[in-house]
Amino acid sequence: MLKKILSFLLLVSLSVPFAAKADEGMWLPMLVKRLNYTDMQKKGLQLTAEEIYSVNNSSLKDAIVQFGGFCTGEFISPEGLLITNHHCGYGSIQSHSTTEHDYLTDGFWATSKDQELPNEGLFVDILVRMDDVTSKVLEGITPATTQEERAQLVAQRTKAIAQEASENNQYVTYVRDFYNGNEFYLFVYNRYTDVRLVGAPPQSVGKYGGDTDNWMWPRHTGDFSMFRVYMAPDGKPAPYSKTNVPYKPKHFLPISLSDKEQGDFAMVFGFPGRTKRFMTSHGLKLEVNQLNKSRIKLRDQKLNLWKEDMDKDAATRIKYASKYASTSNYYKYSIGQNAGIKRMHTIEGKIADEDKFQAWANADAQRKATYGNVLGDIASAYATIEKYNLGSIYLNEAVLGTEAMMLGYRFIPLYNSLKAGNAAATQKAIEDLRPRVESHFKDYNLPTDKKVFAAMMKAYSEDIAKDQQPEAFKSLVSKYKGNFSKLADYVYGNSFLMSEQKVNDFLKNPSQKKLEADPAFQLINAIMMNYVTNIAPKMAESNAILDKANRLYVAGLRLMNPDKVYYPDANSTLRLSYGTVKDYSPQDGVMYNYYTTLDGVMAKEDPTNEEFVVPAKLKQLYQAKDYGRYANSKGELVVNFITDNDITGGNSGSPVINGKGELMGLAFDGNWEAMTGDLVYDPDYKRCINVDIRYVLFIIDKYAGATNLIQEMTLVNDGNPGAADAATAEVKTKTPQAELLNATMEEANEKLRAGKTEFKIEKKKGDAKVKLQVKD
Ligand code: ARG
């Protein structure tokens, strides 16, 4: 009992987002100097704040990109070589794969720049600067301003600020809100759209452990892939062209070959997507009972249907590989999160926070006037939203989760412009559709999607309140007497949206009549119209109440705890988190080490399970212990390691950087014990799972033989005698300069200064300290 009370108290004090002693927080880089720098130094940071974030001089931030809008990547060479996760590059790798050239299974390595593969639609955003524009956005807005007026003013002003900062659309710009609408920051980016695939390991390395190991520690995944960013010869962003040249980053990360020890400083720089750390217990209940629950149910069906067909046919397996991976990712996340919320008493912790807030608000008449009703408003807004929420969740997960319905949905703008007789809008709608149609059919298998459609429509029909379903849908269901496979036969058998040829013919000569007569379009249009006219308006009023109440809740919390430094929820903007290399205890009596090795890869091997196949070449290297300079000082090949950095989805591919600004690894996942991490940071359990950069280099160099890529990078090794020995051995066998390692540091440096390769040899406390740098 005592233990229960204790753990409950612990929980309570942790459930609102402020940085206590824990390494919690996703900080805005421009504020690091003021808010975090001293603490970071204490933990082992050796860089200056300016070296981390500077607008005028090159700094770490210039090496970090938002990759494709959904992941993070970082430059590791002066020639625009970029590294991110395998699961971030997965869509691109998949799109270049065929049954003849199956890069998913076999991996891909460009041995020269002309072999690199362009990726339509892929882009990277590189931050130019960020500015606090709160006072501009909120100018003249007072507590007396109505929520509606405020929302309007905020929308207008943020749009105008972003537009002006874009300097005639030269930059990609936007203003995002922070702390639930209490603060506003402008972001200015250069967007580069010529991003080419350079290298990817086979998925038996890059996705080793598959969905079984996903969201889990201990882990053994080589989750990386490489791209190169290109620019016009004048340095500006430009669409793919043969005349483009490699991008020259203002900064790229040197790579550390050193061992990592428990307690070592680690920072993660990247683009976390979304956290809900300020979400109240009322919101959380809907997350558990409606969002996660529906997602688990619907995705479970969809994944099984996809898998059935993927296992039958290699072409279908390739077509659905990427869709399957991303659908299963948040399927498993939702399962883990719901279990975690129960186990960790997350809702109870939130309720305790809210009780404290209410008591604080009630203790003062003036405070009561502003904050006294905040939680009551939140509760009643959610009570309304709860009634309609499933309709909007099912729209996303079930209806638009069917590929043909999604394609039909894309035709709505065209339909509207045809109906309005607007020729210019029609033309634009057609142009917008073309690439979508192409990518839809490239990876489409009609019989598979038809089965999914039948299952999803059945769920929609059964789970959504009848008065929230459109008449057109209900009458279809009764016409087919609830036989959804017959209903699917009818819709898929009679719609032109099922054939690429017919869709393209239609786009040449589009007609409103033909769209209106199409059963698939009729259906999606009816469901959308029903949503827009019957469901969304019912939620709109409650959402506006929520916007205001959530804003006041955060403002109140900050007032209530003036000494706490609160950090804002993640919102896909550049953040820095810092912490240390750290093991953890997943449960009583069990301790997890902070790193895994190739031995563990071998221990998990199962040739009969595609998730645990170990490639023959990797086995050979393991048997020969041929790890070269990539082994640790014990001679092990470290595969993954963990830190307590505060990250979330979108951080995937983020660099894990040591105190000197060198790359130690790439963040790629979170752990099962902390699946509630997007709601509450728990220092005992929350870990960031990273691939060790030495495993990445080992795969590139020893496994793939892509030494051309290693040569572009700057490898640094200091203070790791074991690796220094390995490096020495490597150098001895490989380069004529080997003998120089026996010379003094001065001699060595002098002789090598002119060359491309530079070795610095230092003697420190009797240990040979070899600095190995490949210079441009
Ligand atoms: N859980 C990882 C993340 O959200 C993605 C891992 C992808 N791998 C997979 N087996 N689906 O960043």
Side-chain angles (χ1 to χ4, degrees):
M1 186 62 198
L2 182 66
K3 203 173 151 226
K4 222 172 174 179
I5 293 172
L6 276 178
S7 69
F8 188 69
L9 286 176
L10 191 73
L11 229 157
V12 168
S13 61
L14 294 170
S15 44
V16 283
F18 62 89
K21 288 262 169 328
D23 298 328
E24 174 178 3
M26 303 172 182
W27 303 96
L28 282 167
M30 69 177 279
L31 302 181
V32 155
K33 189 173 183 171
R34 180 151 59 83
L35 299 181
N36 316 101
Y37 188 65
T38 320
D39 192 31
M40 290 169 83
Q41 267 185 318
K42 260 189 245 155
K43 290 205 157 79
L45 174 67
Q46 295 175 35
L47 304 177
T48 64
E50 280 283 297
E51 285 170 318
I52 294 175
Y53 178 87
S54 165
V55 175
N56 301 314
N57 300 309
S58 75
S59 58
L60 273 189
K61 85 157 200 334
D62 299 310
I64 321 294
V65 310
Q66 185 168 35
F67 181 87
F70 52 85
C71 273
T72 303
E74 54 275 4
F75 290 114
I76 50 169
S77 99
E79 296 178 78
L81 185 63
L82 189 83
I83 189 161
T84 183
N85 287 149
H86 185 266
H87 78 261
C88 297
Y90 204 74
S92 303
I93 303 162
Q94 183 266 333
S95 78
H96 293 293
S97 296
T98 58
T99 41
E100 293 80 43
H101 298 282
D102 186 351
Y103 300 138
L104 288 173
T105 305
D106 306 327
F108 169 80
W109 303 97
T111 51
S112 62
K113 293 204 178 74
D114 57 4
Q115 290 178 4
E116 296 170 0
L117 302 172
N119 298 284
E120 213 183 291
L122 184 61
F123 60 87
V124 301
D125 284 344
I126 305 174
L127 186 69
V128 178
R129 63 170 211 274
M130 56 184 291
D131 289 320
D132 183 352
V133 294
T134 308
S135 56
K136 262 198 207 169
V137 173
L138 297 182
E139 199 186 325
I141 292 178
T142 70
T145 314
T146 66
Q147 179 63 18
E148 204 187 343
E149 260 179 285
R150 180 187 165 107
Q152 239 175 35
L153 282 171
V154 166
Q156 276 165 10
R157 288 173 184 175
T158 51
K159 202 172 154 203
I161 291 168
Q163 181 55 42
E164 193 194 330
S166 80
E167 300 181 22
N168 295 319
N169 303 320
Q170 190 187 334
Y171 299 110
V172 170
T173 55
Y174 44 77
V175 174
R176 291 258 157 96
D177 83 280
F178 290 72
Y179 301 103
N180 285 350
N182 284 290
E183 293 182 14
F184 297 85
Y185 287 80
L186 164 72
F187 295 84
V188 179
Y189 293 95
N190 267 310
R191 174 166 294 181
Y192 288 86
T193 52
D194 186 354
V195 183
R196 304 182 196 170
L197 179 64
V198 172
Q203 47 181 351
S204 52
V205 170
K207 204 182 174 219
Y208 187 72
D211 291 317
T212 304
D213 275 8
N214 189 21
W215 299 112
M216 302 270 187
W217 180 258
R219 195 63 163 278
H220 300 87
T221 311
D223 199 341
F224 79 96
S225 61
M226 298 164 98
F227 290 79
R228 193 185 304 280
V229 179
Y230 282 80
M231 61 183 185
D234 67 0
K236 294 230 165 73
Y240 170 79
S241 158
K242 278 207 158 69
T243 61
N244 283 352
V245 298
Y247 175 74
K248 299 239 168 301
K250 283 210 278 178
H251 184 73
F252 65 91
L253 299 176
I255 294 172
S256 168
L257 292 177
S258 304
D259 278 3
K260 298 150 189 64
E261 310 285 350
Q262 169 92 355
D264 277 358
F265 177 83
M267 60 184 165
V268 171
F269 221 149
F271 291 85
R274 196 153 147 70
T275 54
K276 301 170 180 172
R277 300 246 168 101
F278 290 106
M279 187 177 249
T280 57
S281 61
H282 310 285
L284 225 53
K285 284 178 195 153
L286 269 57
E287 296 276 301
V288 173
N289 299 325
Q290 295 192 315
L291 179 63
N292 287 341
K293 208 170 146 197
S294 311
R295 222 191 235 159
I296 295 165
K297 169 177 170 167
L298 297 169
R299 290 191 183 195
D300 185 50
Q301 296 181 16
K302 198 200 303 195
L303 288 166
N304 282 330
L305 291 168
W306 278 350
K307 189 81 177 22
E308 235 172 67
D309 289 3
M310 288 166 79
D311 285 346
K312 270 190 238 149
D313 171 50
T316 308
R317 174 181 56 77
I318 293 174
K319 282 177 178 173
Y320 282 76
S322 185
K323 294 182 244 201
Y324 187 93
S326 59
T327 302
S328 71
N329 190 34
Y330 275 79
Y331 160 70
K332 192 169 175 185
Y333 169 97
S334 296
I335 295 174
Q337 186 171 81
N338 269 9
I341 288 173
K342 232 174 150 179
R343 192 181 64 245
M344 322 267 290
H345 307 287
T346 311
I347 294 184
E348 293 87 328
K350 292 278 180 185
I351 291 174
D353 281 345
E354 289 154 22
D355 289 347
K356 269 198 252 169
F357 180 89
Q358 192 65 55
W360 168 83
N362 291 349
D364 171 291
Q366 213 182 338
R367 276 207 307 253
K368 195 168 175 187
T370 313
Y371 301 104
N373 291 330
V374 162
L375 287 164
D377 286 348
I378 291 177
S380 62
Y382 274 122
T384 306
I385 290 174
E386 190 177 6
K387 289 189 213 139
Y388 300 97
N389 202 22
L390 228 43
S392 105
I393 293 169
Y394 271 59
L395 177 63
N396 279 316
E397 289 284 336
V399 180
L400 297 176
T402 306
E403 292 167 87
M405 287 291 105
M406 183 53 131
L407 183 67
Y409 167 73
R410 303 283 188 202
F411 274 73
I412 291 177
L414 175 60
Y415 174 63
N416 290 336
S417 58
L418 286 170
K419 222 161 65 172
N422 183 336
T426 298
Q427 205 42 48
K428 170 144 198 325
I430 292 173
E431 272 154 35
D432 290 348
L433 268 170
R434 286 226 155 85
R436 295 190 190 280
V437 168
E438 199 190 318
S439 65
H440 168 86
F441 283 107
K442 179 176 173 295
D443 292 327
Y444 191 58
N445 192 43
L446 189 138
T448 309
D449 188 43
K450 195 164 112 182
K451 284 189 275 184
V452 171
F453 173 82
M456 295 297 108
M457 289 302 132
K458 182 166 188 280
Y460 182 85
S461 170
E462 288 170 357
D463 298 346
I464 301 302
K466 288 283 180 291
D467 62 353
Q468 292 180 32
Q469 297 178 14
E471 289 308 322
F473 176 71
K474 284 190 279 192
S475 62
L476 253 191
V477 174
S478 69
K479 184 167 166 200
Y480 288 93
K481 305 201 172 60
N483 184 331
F484 287 88
S485 122
K486 287 224 169 87
L487 191 155
D489 285 341
Y490 161 70
V491 172
Y492 279 57
N494 292 286
S495 166
F496 76 84
L497 290 170
M498 306 302 154
S499 136
E500 184 164 19
Q501 180 64 48
K502 285 183 189 162
V503 168
N504 284 329
D505 288 347
F506 174 84
L507 289 180
K508 275 182 212 139
N509 191 8
S511 100
Q512 177 190 342
K513 267 219 183 92
K514 188 153 185 206
L515 265 178
E516 280 169 352
D518 188 274
F521 184 77
Q522 271 174 7
L523 184 57
I524 183 64
N525 196 40
I527 293 177
M528 279 315 297
M529 285 311 289
N530 174 62
Y531 179 75
V532 171
T533 54
N534 288 334
I535 299 190
K538 303 239 169 60
M539 298 211 286
E541 199 186 320
S542 302
N543 278 322
I545 294 170
L546 261 193
D547 282 349
K548 179 177 176 186
N550 280 329
R551 168 166 55 79
L552 289 173
Y553 183 53
V554 175
L557 279 174
R558 293 170 91 182
L559 267 182
M560 175 175 144
N561 302 301
D563 297 333
K564 285 178 187 167
V565 185
Y566 284 84
Y567 58 90
D569 264 322
N571 60 358
S572 284
T573 57
L574 185 61
R575 302 294 178 89
L576 184 146
S577 87
Y578 58 96
T580 55
V581 174
K582 207 169 181 176
D583 55 14
Y584 74 105
S585 165
Q587 65 192 73
D588 186 35
V590 181
M591 199 66 205
Y592 280 163
N593 193 12
Y594 67 88
Y595 70 89
T596 61
T597 68
L598 194 56
D599 295 44
V601 174
M602 293 309 304
K604 282 179 177 173
E605 187 196 15
D606 178 0
T608 66
N609 178 347
E610 57 157 20
E611 294 184 325
F612 293 96
V613 171
V614 177
K617 176 83 187 284
L618 187 57
K619 265 204 273 204
Q620 280 164 21
L621 291 165
Y622 169 75
Q623 270 142 14
K625 294 277 173 288
D626 185 3
Y627 307 153
R629 53 179 151 159
Y630 308 119
N632 70 3
S633 52
K634 291 189 194 155
E636 302 160 323
L637 187 64
V638 176
V639 174
N640 293 158
F641 68 104
I642 47 174
T643 56
D644 66 353
N645 290 87
D646 192 2
I647 66 157
T648 186
N651 266 122
S652 284
S654 291
V656 186
I657 301 170
N658 68 16
K660 294 178 186 158
E662 301 156 353
L663 186 64
M664 302 197 283
L666 270 60
F668 73 91
D669 209 355
N671 56 323
W672 196 247
E673 297 78 13
M675 295 303 285
T676 51
D678 288 343
L679 310 165
V680 178
Y681 177 98
D682 185 326
D684 289 339
Y685 294 110
K686 175 108 171 132
R687 293 296 178 271
C688 166
I689 304 179
N690 315 298
V691 54
D692 195 293
I693 199 64
R694 293 170 298 183
Y695 188 56
V696 170
L697 295 173
F698 164 83
I699 294 292
I700 298 172
D701 184 348
K702 293 275 179 179
Y703 176 85
T707 44
N708 56 312
L709 300 174
I710 303 280
Q711 246 125 56
E712 281 185 47
M713 307 172 194
T714 297
L715 308 187
V716 188
N717 178 359
D718 34 25
N720 179 3
D725 287 349
T728 309
E730 180 91 345
V731 168
K732 274 193 179 133
T733 57
K734 270 200 172 164
T735 81
Q737 289 104 328
E739 71 212 36
L740 288 173
L741 288 172
N742 297 320
T744 64
M745 188 169 76
E746 290 73 28
E747 283 173 317
N749 275 340
E750 195 184 333
K751 292 194 183 161
L752 289 167
R753 200 156 285 140
K756 198 174 159 58
T757 311
E758 178 177 308
F759 302 99
K760 280 193 204 141
I761 304 146
E762 295 164 23
K763 286 240 176 214
K764 209 178 178 185
K765 288 187 200 148
D767 281 326
K769 195 173 170 192
V770 179
K771 229 182 184 171
L772 196 159
Q773 258 176 324
V774 182
K775 284 245 152 118
D776 188 34

